[in-house]
Amino acid sequence: MNSRKITDPFDVKFEPFNNYGSEIPGMSWKKITYSEKTGQGTYILKMDPGAKSIPHKHLNFEEFIMLDGELIDDDEKVFNKGDVVTFKPGSSHSSHTKDGCLILVFMRTKNKPI
């Protein structure tokens, strides 16, 4: 029996992003293998135009691939479609998008709001 799962990131049903305990306006996600209990796994994050993440600290590595749009970090670094971004443990930031974006996120543990 084949246990393969194929996800089209451009054709999924998104739910409000609530990984920090409450919904963040303009952010939604589709969990692929992500476990809210362990904070490990993969999800697709959609940020609507003008959305902003809350400031948070990475307790382990977080990596993501920009599937579409652009994301601007709090130091004004711009991540564009195709960029693969790694945040090391202990790093902290928040990000926003002017025109919206779609991101494939790989988590090893939950981030801590700051």
Side-chain angles (χ1 to χ4, degrees):
M1 183 173 141
N2 193 329
S3 58
R4 174 178 35 237
K5 175 182 175 183
I6 299 173
T7 303
D8 178 349
F10 301 99
D11 187 24
V12 295
K13 181 180 178 189
F14 289 96
E15 299 175 0
F17 183 80
N18 61 351
N19 201 33
Y20 298 113
S22 61
E23 295 178 12
I24 299 176
M27 293 178 64
S28 55
W29 63 346
K30 169 64 177 175
K31 293 175 238 166
I32 299 174
T33 60
Y34 184 73
S35 165
E36 291 182 62
K37 183 177 180 178
T38 66
Q40 296 178 333
T42 305
Y43 60 87
I44 302 165
L45 180 66
K46 180 181 174 190
M47 295 179 70
D48 296 334
K52 181 175 183 170
S53 69
I54 64 170
H56 58 277
K57 181 176 183 176
H58 298 271
L59 302 178
N60 203 331
F61 284 98
E62 175 185 319
E63 295 170 307
F64 60 83
I65 300 171
M66 294 294 299
L67 299 176
D68 199 20
E70 71 175 24
L71 184 66
I72 306 164
D73 225 8
D74 54 7
D75 65 357
E76 298 305 315
K77 175 63 181 167
V78 178
F79 308 124
N80 294 295
K81 181 179 178 179
D83 287 345
V84 178
V85 181
T86 302
F87 283 98
K88 294 181 179 180
S91 61
S92 59
H93 73 121
S94 65
S95 305
H96 69 278
T97 180
K98 292 179 183 174
D99 299 318
C101 60
L102 195 64
I103 307 166
L104 181 60
V105 182
F106 307 94
M107 297 289 295
R108 290 174 182 85
T109 192
K110 276 191 178 183
N111 296 325
K112 180 179 179 184
I114 52 175

